[in-house]
Amino acid sequence: MTVSHATIHLLPEALCNKIAAGEVVERPASVVKELLENSLDAGATEILIELQAGGKKLIRVADNGRGMNRQDVFLSLERHATSKISCDTDLFALQTLGFRGEALASIASVSRFLLQSCATDQGLGQQIYAEGGAVRRAEEIGLPRGTVVEVRNLFFNLPARRKFLRKEPTELSHAADVVTKQALANPTVCFRLKHNDRLLLDLRRENGLRERFAALLGRSLLKDMLEIDQPSGAELRLTGLISQPRLTRSATSHIYTFINGRYIRDRVVQHAVMAGYRHLLMKGRYPVVALFLQIDPAQVDINVHPTKHEVRFREQGLVHDFIVHSLQQVLRPADWLDHPPTTVAPEPGATIPSDSLPRPDIVAPAVNEGPAAYHAEPRPAAATVAPNSPAAPATDFSTTAAGLPAEQLPLPESETGGFFTRLQILGQYHQSYLLCQDTDDLILVDQHAAHERIGFEKLRHAYAVGSVPSQALLFPQILELDYRSAMALEEHRAELERLGFEVEPFGGKSFALKSIPQVLADRDVGQLVIDVALELEKVGRAGQLEESIDEVLILMACHGVIRANQALTTEEGKALLRELDQIDFKANCPHGRPVMQRLTLTEVERLFRRQ
Ligand code: ADP
Ligand code: MG
């Protein structure tokens, strides 16, 4: 008979710390993050971060925060030792960045760790030195109020982990990214970042986000950034800066989102941001945003992940839709067209030497599509532009182009003459672009892109308020389908009807197409109906009706609109511009291409060497 031995035992504290470190401390940047959070929680107004070898050799963070007394210096290295929460209700009313009380213990367990702190103005503090979590030395030292943490040889006692660290520039860029995020969220705090004794970032105290954003990401980006504050003063509130659709990046790296001042990278929030930009950006392009969501701490659980990057909302859908709606409020009117941005003067003491951070996509200036509007000089206010075209009589063009009379969209701007209405048409180039003048600037309007957006917005509107106007075919078109397409068509007949297609079974797998959307008059739409039905089929499974209907409407808008290479009379051109002013999101076609480009007089003069 075998005796059963107890095989379960409690792990020693030092091992627990190492395990916890595995979650919290992945690389030097994670240490920087935790130390910065502590400095900010301590109310620091100045923080100096020094790194050597990308942080692999040394990470040193010094702050002028409130510091710790002797007892706290010792306690701070214990696991689950924190001054920030004391009972579980505190978890849902967090006012601090930290609360788990494990960072210092974890970091100390995998490094050579020195902590110095002073909580008084007497200039006498306490220091403690630990190796792999074991305290080696502790003594008093002279120190002004504040805290210094030095972390040397990260993972020196976990060689397997150390091997995972990347090259110096990569680790540095991750650390710089962490500093960037904290600096965006705390414009009134000075941050300095040194690497191998070279000053990479020198961020002075700023009054607000705009200035801090400019100092971090480049002043030239500012003019393409829109302010958002929705709804101002409310409890659930979204503030910050979001890029116009023409300023984009090839990755999500410049979507900075914060909840109650804490940087987070959350799936729901990320999705909401992209949904806010839906149909405004080209495929594979992402906006630049620094967005701050303020929400009742009881409505969000931060304690989901050790690094606190993900969160859980009580009412996920509500927060999601709030973000989408807020972004669209700012993007929909495309106000930036009416008020072309004024030049932002280059900062005299610009801070980041752009060659010094090995992260071109963080600090490199904007790469825009096309010669877009970089205004070399302040421009007259839009209000001074004389409206040059009193309402021209509606042409056939305006009613047939998108199949709907313009009046169906009750939008006030047309009364005053919006941006496009005020443009003076000079002519048409290559039967594809309208050449226009806006005061001194030359404006090119892509007629196809313009028409696509108009068609799409009108269809979307018509669909939303009932159904898309349709038109009976003189001779029904017989569609002979394969089994799958026939099933899809049969199943979605009602939805197709709302989209303007009337189909009837015609025996077997055949259908008679009896009416089609007005917008598609004179087009061969046999294949389109099938495409639409198959698209609807996908919806059933994915359950994302709205998104898919939009795709269908874009498909229809594309088929329906005038193409490039179509001569337009001036009247037709004017009608097109007027229609643009009557719709939402008029700056981009639904695939995200820009509708217009601006060349300033200065830019034109430069082309002719007159400047
Ligand atoms: P947490 O931040 O979750 O409380 P940490 O292990 O990061 O846990 O820190 C433990 C405690 O040490 C903090 O609660 C705080 O009281 C103190 N502390 C850490 N860093 C600083 C600092 N830079 N200034 C003042 N106090 C600090
Ligand atoms: Mg902490």
Side-chain angles (χ1 to χ4, degrees):
M1 203 174 95
T2 51
V3 181
S4 69
H5 292 285
T7 51
I8 299 180
H9 53 268
L10 288 174
L11 295 176
E13 178 75 7
L15 185 51
C16 293
N17 284 339
K18 272 194 185 176
I19 292 171
E23 288 179 330
V24 180
V25 187
E26 188 197 342
R27 57 181 359 147
S30 351
V31 174
V32 174
K33 171 182 176 288
E34 294 295 336
L35 298 183
L36 285 183
E37 288 190 354
N38 282 346
S39 296
L40 291 164
D41 280 346
T45 56
E46 281 178 33
I47 304 176
L48 170 63
I49 305 112
E50 294 175 84
L51 306 175
Q52 275 175 24
K56 291 192 274 189
K57 205 164 155 201
L58 169 75
I59 301 157
R60 183 176 191 274
V61 173
D63 70 52
N64 66 346
R66 71 179 69 89
M68 284 177 264
N69 62 25
R70 183 170 187 280
Q71 191 186 356
D72 282 352
V73 165
F74 281 92
L75 267 178
S76 70
L77 287 192
E78 298 288 325
R79 201 146 67 95
H80 304 309
T82 180
S83 57
K84 300 172 190 176
I85 58 171
S86 45
C87 58
D88 53 3
T89 48
D90 289 349
L91 271 182
F92 293 94
L94 288 172
Q95 304 292 336
T96 51
L97 295 167
F99 58 87
R100 299 170 62 100
E102 344 185 85
L104 292 189
S106 299
I107 295 167
S109 75
V110 293
S111 69
R112 301 199 164 91
F113 183 92
L114 177 72
L115 169 64
Q116 306 177 318
S117 197
C118 168
T120 66
D121 288 326
Q122 266 77 65
L124 197 60
Q126 182 69 36
Q127 82 171 2
I128 184 170
Y129 176 73
E131 276 183 3
V135 175
R136 297 275 186 239
R137 267 195 340 262
E139 66 244 331
E140 287 192 329
I141 45 149
L143 194 75
R145 184 197 293 271
T147 302
V148 180
V149 178
E150 282 185 14
V151 177
R152 287 179 195 274
N153 309 102
L154 187 64
F155 300 139
F156 79 98
N157 54 350
L158 282 182
R161 203 77 196 247
R162 192 159 171 94
K163 268 193 224 130
F164 276 99
L165 295 183
R166 308 286 295 275
K167 292 208 190 79
E168 182 173 318
T170 312
E171 294 301 340
L172 171 60
S173 81
H174 283 285
D177 198 31
V178 166
V179 178
T180 301
K181 288 161 184 164
Q182 292 293 8
L184 277 174
N186 299 280
T188 58
V189 176
C190 303
F191 290 84
R192 273 179 303 153
L193 170 63
K194 275 190 185 171
H195 183 245
N196 296 346
D197 293 325
R198 191 156 167 223
L199 189 61
L200 297 188
L201 275 175
D202 187 0
L203 302 168
R204 49 162 213 232
R205 179 191 166 85
E206 305 287 3
N207 291 327
L209 177 65
R210 280 185 78 82
E211 290 308 309
R212 179 52 60 87
F213 182 92
L216 275 169
L217 299 164
R219 190 148 281 272
S220 63
L221 294 202
L222 259 195
K223 65 176 169 16
D224 286 334
M225 300 301 291
L226 308 166
E227 293 214 25
I228 178 168
D229 185 354
Q230 294 283 334
S232 69
E235 234 175 64
L236 185 61
R237 182 176 174 196
L238 194 66
T239 59
L241 294 169
I242 67 173
S243 58
Q244 306 179 9
R246 85 159 185 232
L247 171 62
T248 58
R249 290 286 181 267
S250 59
T252 56
S253 53
H254 288 66
I255 299 183
Y256 297 106
T257 50
F258 303 81
I259 295 182
N260 295 343
R262 178 193 305 278
Y263 172 80
I264 52 114
R265 192 177 177 83
D266 183 73
R267 202 175 39 83
V268 174
V269 173
Q270 190 104 359
H271 185 274
V273 170
M274 290 314 292
Y277 277 91
R278 194 138 50 95
H279 309 314
L280 290 173
L281 306 179
M282 308 269 289
K283 255 214 170 70
R285 303 300 298 181
Y286 301 88
V288 177
V289 310
L291 272 177
F292 296 83
L293 181 70
Q294 261 164 263
I295 184 170
D296 176 358
Q299 291 296 316
V300 55
D301 187 356
I302 305 288
N303 192 22
V304 175
H305 194 267
T307 62
K308 299 165 279 189
H309 272 171
E310 285 160 39
V311 295
R312 200 175 292 132
F313 295 106
R314 278 236 174 121
E315 306 214 44
Q316 172 174 317
L318 195 127
V319 172
H320 179 273
D321 293 352
F322 170 73
I323 295 174
V324 178
H325 176 78
S326 301
L327 291 182
Q328 298 213 324
Q329 286 296 99
V330 175
L331 294 168
R332 177 179 291 118
D335 275 341
W336 58 93
L337 296 180
D338 297 46
H339 313 285
T342 47
T343 325
V344 217
E347 172 106 337
T351 44
I352 309 179
S354 52
D355 60 331
S356 59
L357 278 182
R359 178 104 192 245
D361 62 334
I362 271 215
V363 286
V367 184
N368 284 309
E369 9 264 344
Y374 279 100
H375 298 289
E377 57 195 32
R379 300 172 32 76
T384 63
V385 180
N388 57 38
S389 59
T395 58
D396 278 348
F397 182 79
S398 71
T399 51
T400 55
L404 292 167
E407 306 81 70
Q408 283 206 356
L409 292 175
L411 290 154
E413 198 171 19
S414 56
E415 292 160 22
T416 56
F419 168 77
F420 286 107
T421 311
R422 286 197 307 266
L423 295 178
Q424 183 194 338
I425 297 182
L426 308 173
Q428 192 190 22
Y429 171 66
H430 218 257
Q431 301 200 336
S432 304
Y433 304 95
L434 291 177
L435 283 180
C436 313
Q437 188 170 339
D438 174 25
T439 319
D440 282 341
D441 297 351
L442 182 61
I443 307 280
L444 288 161
V445 176
D446 179 330
Q447 69 195 42
H448 184 217
H451 240 100
E452 263 182 13
R453 173 56 76 175
I454 294 168
F456 174 53
E457 290 300 329
K458 286 187 171 179
L459 284 170
R460 189 147 70 157
H461 180 76
Y463 182 83
V465 300
S467 61
V468 173
S470 75
Q471 167 179 322
L473 291 177
L474 220 47
F475 306 102
Q477 190 180 340
I478 306 304
L479 308 172
E480 312 250 15
L481 304 183
D482 60 74
Y483 180 73
R484 182 158 165 239
S485 311
M487 290 292 286
L489 212 64
E490 178 59 44
E491 195 175 330
H492 297 288
R493 268 172 65 197
E495 202 54 48
L496 281 168
E497 203 155 312
R498 222 181 132 194
L499 288 162
F501 299 96
E502 194 191 340
V503 280
E504 270 178 15
F506 199 68
K509 293 184 304 248
S510 300
F511 286 83
L513 178 60
K514 303 182 85 175
S515 330
I516 61 171
Q518 261 173 38
V519 61
L520 298 174
D522 309 325
R523 317 271 157 161
D524 178 17
V525 294
Q527 185 55 45
L528 180 64
V529 194
I530 299 164
D531 288 351
V532 168
L534 290 174
E535 182 74 29
L536 291 171
E537 187 78 351
K538 281 193 252 158
V539 180
R541 267 175 270 136
Q544 296 188 306
L545 182 66
E546 197 191 329
E547 234 162 88
S548 250
I549 292 289
D550 275 358
E551 291 312 313
V552 168
L553 295 177
I554 290 178
L555 213 63
M556 288 164 59
C558 286
H559 272 73
V561 303
I562 49 165
R563 302 268 155 198
N565 294 318
Q566 183 168 329
L568 294 183
T569 65
T570 304
E571 279 317 307
E572 286 169 336
K574 276 186 186 169
L576 177 65
L577 295 182
R578 262 200 317 280
E579 280 194 284
L580 266 179
D581 275 331
Q582 289 167 343
I583 53 146
D584 292 335
F585 305 110
K586 61 189 175 184
N588 299 78
C589 87
H591 305 100
R593 282 189 286 272
V595 161
M596 64 150 254
Q597 292 289 353
R598 177 189 295 267
L599 268 176
T600 64
L601 179 58
T602 317
E603 283 166 327
V604 174
E605 285 179 340
R606 220 175 270 148
L607 291 175
F608 293 98
R609 308 285 184 270
R610 287 182 181 280
Q611 278 268 332

